[in-house]
Amino acid sequence: MRPRISNTMLNVWLMSMAGGILFMDLFHRSPKFLIGACAALIMGGIIFTWRRKNLAAWIICPIIFFALGALRFSAVDNLPLNDISKFTGQDVQISGEIREEPQIKILPNGITRVRFIVDTESIKLNGATEKISGGVILTYYPREDEQLPTARIGDKISASGKVKILHNYNNPGQIDTVTRSKANEITARMSAGKQGISVEAVDGGLWINFLRGAAAIRQHYRESMTEVMPAKDASAIFAMLFGGYEGLEPELIEDFQTTGIVHILSVSGSHMSLLAAATAWLCLMFRLPTKLTFVVGFFIIGTYAILSGLLPQVLRSTWMGVLIFFARTLDAETEGSRLLTLVAGAMLINQPLLLFDISFQLSFSATAGLMYLAEDLRDSMERLPKFFSEPVSMTIAAQVASLPIIIWYFNQISLSSIFANAFVMPLLQVVIIGGLLGGVIAAVLPVAGKFLFAGEALIFGAAEELNKIFVNMPFSLMQVPTIGLAAGFFYYVALIFRRPIILLTIIFLLAINFFRAGDVEVSFVDVGQGDCAVVVTPHGKCLIFDAGGTRERIFDVGGRVVVPYLKHENVREVDKIFLTHVHEDHAAGAGTVIKKFPVNEIITAGEPRSEYVAAFGIAEEYLPPLRAGHAGEIFTIDGVQVEILFAPSVGTGNEISNVYRVRYGDVTFLITGDLVKEIESDILREGVDVSSTVLKVGHHGSATSSSEEFLRAVNPKCSVICVGYENNFGHPRAEVLERLKNLPSKIYRTDLDGLIKFKTDGKNLRVETFNKNSQPQ
């Protein structure tokens, strides 16, 4: 008799396929024989196992799935020759079809930004036109007096500009937006030039008109809500109904993140579960048969997914929601868990890059938790009221199953989520169900719809205020140290086989590592076109030298890059922030760091205090002690010495940059900010010893810094250039790179290497880069 494929075996095959995808990601430049070997393994394995009845045949199946995962990754990762990304760095004119609704946003500087997702069809380069493929993010900044053209899904759009490749902030724990975009077949970005954009209306076929109809319905909901409630409430409720963060207040997002319910602001599995539960209740009232209940639920969930735009993340949530509904409605948890594995496997075969997508990771792990853990947890709470035990058991199950993923990306656990899910979520669920009904009623009876939406706003306001109470609870959010891949693997082993001793061992090992003194680590963080260096001392004290920042405050580098990295490194308090000068790309990011961490002191250059307060973007009364540093000052923190070699009291711009040298034993790091050549010469004339093991190259490798005389005086073994990928300034300059190579000095660049981490015991120096395949120049 042929052995039955057990659920465990299916999970093993799924993990084997994931292993093959990870293997090819690590060796993505692997020679062709690896791809051929994978294909041979698949064919050989199928031939060997075909019509075999012995158990050994099934053991070979994990090898087949490993090879299948590797082969599929290679097929997807290698883009076609006519992909839009192949034209990176060239000025072109593209034409294509608008894939999604345009996103319009008013930026903090008052400029309007319109963003399109375009499926490219043709490109014009040097007078010649050729067919291309691939999606592009097209950004357009209309003039103040310019009327925005009407653009719909399926319309044709043309624009001219320079094609740029998508690029991450490459630091540990950072969400990989590039791979996520690539999984959605978006491989490049472009800003429309002075010529603007040209939109051609297209009637479209049945499917395009279907999507436009869904977009029109969403617009109907937004307009109906905006008429009767404040814009911020309308944006929040619309986000809960159909997803999208447009118009949401940052404070609301932060509060929902703290209490672990931020997923409610985008279409997720919880939305599908809510609709399924409401459907099941209605069908129970009308005493419909079980199978018919499932069909009705499937129809309602599918309709909601269509109204939400059928975006990839919506489709994934839909499948997960349908699986949970299937398992509960038909009382088939075992078959539901099988289907979960099969659906996840099918998704990865179709698009293996999903394995690196945080939304897929969280959706799959949370759904698995609800499938495998929720019922046992619910049974253990049988003495508690059902209104409390039901949401709490589901919350704990989902969080336990996704814990390593949450810790890796966010380094925090929401302890208040239990209360928020028990008391706030029911109110928000009423808002979602009532909001969906309100749009239907408003289309038929506008006045009744307005009353219903007004009531929705009141309920949402109550939920928001209640959530603030849980946000302000002591220990509502707990920061936790990062766990590595091995610890995460053993965590899931312990979870699957219900072995608490393994979990205790992991916690013990993490605790030992947490309290153990180590080397000094100096990390140059990839903050784009800016500077940021983080020093962690042997006993975990943290020093920051500049904190990055982006011009016009369009993107909060401090909050979205520096703070996540500090949490990833388990930093809980910043001893000192040393700023070279007040320019935004060096100082602006410090504002969010100050908000998120206790900071004991800030040392600045000689600019007025008011300029730093403006750069931080926070009220002065919330600032930690802040003062200008003076040349010759020495700070010693946990054996690490920081000396201010140069601190001008007068000057403007880059001329006023402080120069810091960090010393631990025999190893030194020189931080120069945007120091210009003229000041470099002044420093050398004053006889200041600038010799150092590692040099942070001045002004991102600009020609205005790094004179040959100064570089020879420093004589660094390693040089680090903090610079933005494909920046508009041409940094680093070729002549600066040439001078560094002639020293000789190993050159590391954040645009190519990502985060650059130096580890030293005071004698030896080791270097690690985020991009493992990069090599120093």
Side-chain angles (χ1 to χ4, degrees):
M1 182 177 179
R2 186 184 297 275
R4 186 173 184 270
I5 303 177
S6 67
N7 215 19
T8 302
M9 182 61 75
L10 285 175
N11 289 329
V12 169
W13 293 353
L14 179 62
M15 288 188 290
S16 298
M17 185 165 61
I21 295 171
L22 289 171
F23 176 82
M24 291 303 284
D25 179 57
L26 291 173
F27 302 98
H28 66 282
R29 294 178 181 172
S30 57
K32 293 183 179 179
F33 79 83
L34 270 180
I35 300 175
C38 291
L41 279 173
I42 293 173
M43 293 302 299
I46 292 174
I47 293 171
F48 183 82
T49 56
W50 184 254
R51 300 184 66 84
R52 296 289 182 106
K53 297 182 179 181
N54 59 328
L55 188 60
W58 295 107
I59 296 175
I60 296 176
C61 284
I63 301 174
I64 297 176
F65 279 92
F66 180 93
L68 178 62
L71 200 62
R72 281 296 299 144
F73 178 86
S74 299
V76 172
D77 193 52
N78 295 315
L79 297 173
L81 293 177
N82 68 339
D83 187 83
I84 179 66
S85 62
K86 306 295 183 181
F87 298 89
T88 298
Q90 301 185 63
D91 290 303
V92 301
Q93 180 181 347
I94 64 166
S95 297
E97 183 180 286
I98 299 173
R99 184 194 298 182
E100 300 174 7
E101 292 174 88
Q103 297 178 4
I104 303 174
K105 183 176 183 180
I106 307 298
L107 301 176
N109 56 13
I111 296 176
T112 300
R113 183 187 70 191
V114 186
R115 181 168 286 174
F116 303 89
I117 304 297
V118 179
D119 289 318
T120 57
E121 296 173 345
S122 65
I123 190 168
K124 189 174 183 179
L125 177 64
N126 298 326
T129 302
E130 58 182 289
K131 292 184 177 180
I132 59 171
S133 62
V136 63
I137 300 172
L138 176 62
T139 306
Y140 170 53
Y141 299 94
R143 298 185 304 273
E144 290 185 10
D145 58 343
E146 184 178 355
Q147 185 175 0
L148 293 177
T150 301
R152 305 168 300 169
I153 297 172
D155 284 344
K156 300 296 182 183
I157 187 169
S158 300
S160 298
K162 180 177 287 188
V163 179
K164 294 187 177 182
I165 197 168
L166 300 176
H167 191 72
N168 285 317
Y169 289 91
N170 289 315
N171 306 298
Q174 202 80 35
I175 294 175
D176 188 352
T177 57
V178 171
T179 303
R180 185 176 190 178
S181 297
K182 195 174 180 181
N184 294 329
E185 299 180 349
I186 301 171
T187 55
R189 60 187 174 93
M190 192 174 90
S191 290
K194 295 180 180 179
Q195 297 88 346
I197 60 173
S198 174
V199 178
E200 177 188 349
V202 176
D203 290 337
L206 179 62
W207 179 246
I208 291 296
N209 286 309
F210 191 69
L211 293 177
R212 288 174 180 172
I217 292 173
R218 291 195 296 274
Q219 186 61 27
H220 158 71
Y221 273 87
R222 184 183 288 276
E223 291 174 354
S224 299
M225 289 187 290
T226 305
E227 288 179 3
V228 296
M229 65 179 75
K232 66 181 185 67
D233 289 350
S235 296
I237 295 176
F238 184 86
M240 288 193 292
L241 295 182
F242 303 112
Y245 279 30
E246 182 182 344
L248 293 184
E249 292 190 335
E251 294 78 9
L252 175 69
I253 298 173
E254 186 174 348
D255 286 349
F256 278 34
Q257 286 175 335
T258 299
T259 54
I261 59 173
V262 71
H263 60 275
I264 203 68
L265 295 176
S266 56
V267 179
S268 63
S270 61
H271 288 68
M272 305 306 174
S273 298
L274 172 62
L275 284 177
T279 302
W281 180 75
L282 286 173
C283 291
L284 184 64
M285 282 186 60
F286 289 101
R287 298 183 179 181
L288 296 182
T290 302
K291 292 184 179 180
L292 182 58
T293 297
F294 174 72
V295 172
V296 172
F298 185 86
F299 173 77
I300 290 177
I301 292 174
T303 302
Y304 177 65
I306 293 170
L307 289 178
S308 299
L310 285 179
L311 299 176
Q313 60 269 28
V314 174
L315 290 174
R316 290 193 290 271
S317 299
T318 301
W319 278 113
M320 299 303 174
V322 167
L323 285 174
I324 294 174
F325 186 57
F326 169 82
R328 292 190 172 181
T329 305
L330 302 183
D331 195 21
E333 277 77 8
T334 301
E335 293 304 318
S337 59
R338 282 171 174 273
L339 283 175
L340 174 64
T341 304
L342 292 172
V343 167
M347 287 181 174
L348 289 179
I349 290 174
N350 177 63
Q351 181 48 269
L353 295 181
L354 284 178
L355 187 64
F356 308 99
D357 187 338
I358 181 175
S359 64
F360 173 80
Q361 296 166 4
L362 290 175
S363 291
F364 177 75
S365 59
T367 304
L370 295 175
M371 288 278 193
Y372 290 99
L373 304 175
E375 187 175 359
D376 290 344
L377 287 169
R378 198 161 47 244
D379 291 342
S380 67
M381 301 178 186
E382 57 183 4
R383 295 185 179 181
L384 297 174
K386 191 172 182 180
F387 81 89
F388 183 81
S389 63
E390 183 76 19
V392 168
S393 62
M394 294 179 68
T395 300
I396 294 176
Q399 287 208 356
V400 166
S402 55
L403 188 61
I405 300 168
I406 293 172
I407 291 176
W408 175 258
Y409 287 110
F410 306 109
N411 292 101
Q412 59 189 28
I413 299 175
S414 176
L415 301 181
S416 57
S417 64
I418 293 176
F419 301 100
N421 276 277
F423 300 106
V424 178
M425 281 296 288
L427 294 175
L428 297 179
Q429 289 170 349
V430 170
V431 171
I432 291 173
I433 297 297
L436 292 173
L437 291 175
V440 176
I441 294 173
V444 181
L445 301 170
V447 176
K450 289 181 179 180
F451 275 107
L452 182 55
F453 276 131
E456 293 284 292
L458 293 175
I459 297 173
F460 174 75
E464 186 179 7
E465 292 303 316
L466 181 59
N467 190 65
K468 287 182 182 295
I469 295 175
F470 298 132
V471 168
N472 295 319
M473 287 174 55
F475 308 108
S476 64
L477 194 67
M478 184 174 69
Q479 185 176 328
V480 292
T482 300
I483 63 174
L485 186 62
F489 173 78
F490 285 112
Y491 174 89
Y492 283 117
V493 169
L495 204 60
I496 292 170
F497 295 102
R498 311 292 175 92
R499 293 292 184 268
I501 188 64
I502 302 178
L503 291 177
L504 293 174
T505 303
I506 293 172
I507 294 171
F508 176 72
L509 293 174
L510 289 174
I512 291 176
N513 186 62
F514 179 73
F515 291 106
R516 184 180 62 191
D519 294 337
V520 167
E521 297 182 354
V522 180
S523 301
F524 293 90
V525 184
D526 178 11
V527 292
Q529 187 69 10
D531 279 9
C532 179
V534 175
V535 178
V536 178
T537 70
H539 292 91
K541 291 187 177 295
C542 176
L543 313 172
I544 299 177
F545 293 82
D546 287 342
T550 300
R551 284 174 172 77
E552 309 297 344
R553 298 187 181 277
I554 293 174
F555 182 87
D556 180 13
V557 170
R560 298 176 65 177
V561 179
V562 180
V563 167
Y565 177 70
L566 294 176
K567 289 182 177 180
H568 189 80
E569 293 297 297
N570 198 35
V571 171
R572 297 169 184 269
E573 178 182 4
V574 177
D575 198 86
K576 284 179 172 56
I577 296 178
F578 295 92
L579 298 176
T580 58
H581 60 302
V582 77
H583 280 182
E584 190 174 19
D585 57 332
H586 294 255
T592 309
V593 174
I594 294 166
K595 293 176 185 176
K596 297 296 183 181
F597 295 92
V599 178
N600 295 331
E601 188 177 25
I602 302 176
I603 305 298
T604 71
E607 300 99 337
R609 179 186 181 91
S610 59
E611 293 187 17
Y612 283 97
V613 174
F616 298 157
I618 58 178
E620 186 166 357
E621 56 264 30
Y622 297 111
L623 282 179
L626 181 150
R627 67 175 180 84
H630 304 286
E633 277 193 275
I634 297 177
F635 307 84
T636 303
I637 303 99
D638 193 18
V640 176
Q641 184 185 90
V642 179
E643 181 182 4
I644 303 180
L645 298 184
F646 182 74
S649 56
V650 294
T652 58
N654 297 329
E655 297 176 357
I656 204 168
S657 287
N658 281 3
V659 178
Y660 302 99
R661 181 164 58 191
V662 181
R663 180 185 298 276
Y664 186 63
D666 299 330
V667 179
T668 52
F669 300 81
L670 192 67
I671 312 290
T672 61
D674 285 349
L675 197 68
V676 296
K677 289 180 181 178
E678 293 78 9
I679 306 299
E680 292 174 354
S681 298
D682 292 343
I683 292 173
L684 295 180
R685 276 197 299 272
E686 292 176 9
V688 178
D689 176 19
V690 294
S691 59
S692 298
T693 313
V694 178
L695 168 67
K696 199 293 297 179
V697 176
H699 202 187
H700 323 293
S702 167
T704 61
S705 303
S706 305
S707 65
E708 185 170 349
E709 181 186 20
F710 185 76
L711 293 180
R712 292 198 178 280
V714 179
N715 193 29
K717 293 181 179 178
C718 301
S719 299
V720 175
I721 304 176
C722 296
V723 63
Y725 188 79
E726 292 186 350
N727 62 85
N728 295 325
F729 306 99
H731 297 160
R733 292 292 183 179
E735 56 266 37
V736 174
L737 294 174
E738 190 64 26
R739 289 179 209 141
L740 291 169
K741 291 176 183 177
N742 291 337
L743 286 177
S745 178
K746 291 182 178 179
I747 304 172
Y748 296 89
R749 297 168 47 171
T750 54
D751 62 332
L752 302 179
D753 301 308
L755 178 125
I756 303 154
K757 177 179 286 188
F758 294 88
K759 294 183 179 181
T760 179
D761 58 4
K763 295 184 180 295
N764 304 302
L765 185 68
R766 304 185 307 280
V767 189
E768 299 175 358
T769 60
F770 180 83
N771 295 330
K772 303 302 181 185
N773 295 313
S774 63
Q775 296 293 329
Q777 298 181 13

